[in-house]
């Protein structure tokens, strides 16, 4: 039983060390993962603005034809 408990505490301490490293070096992981997130978010925002521009152009054309 003592061996099992030592394995459990070792795993717990290893996880604590990993979390401590990530906590102190979170900017590295944010830099790596954030680039992809911002790239995808940027693409979706630009796609929405492009769609909005197309709608505005259609509305302007319809208004120009009606008047």
């Amino acid at each position: 039983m003592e061996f099992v408990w030592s394995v459990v505490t070792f795993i717990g301490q290893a996880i604590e060390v990993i979390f401590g490293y990530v906590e102190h070096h979170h900017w590295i992981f944010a830099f790596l993962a954030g680039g992809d997130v911002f790239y995808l978010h940027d693409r979706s925002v630009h796609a929405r603005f492009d769609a909005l521009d197309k709608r505005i152009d259609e509305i302007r054309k319809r208004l120009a034809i009606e008047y």
Side-chain angles (χ1 to χ4, degrees), residues 25-45:
H25 298 89
H26 64 275
W27 61 271
I28 296 171
F29 300 103
F31 182 73
L32 295 174
D36 291 334
V37 170
F38 285 125
Y39 173 72
L40 294 175
H41 178 71
D42 189 43
R43 286 185 59 195
S44 68
V45 168

Side-chain angles (χ1 to χ4, degrees), residues 8-24:
V8 170
T9 56
F10 175 76
I11 292 172
Q13 289 173 350
I15 291 172
E16 185 178 357
V17 168
I18 291 169
F19 282 154
Y21 180 80
V22 170
E23 182 180 348
H24 291 289

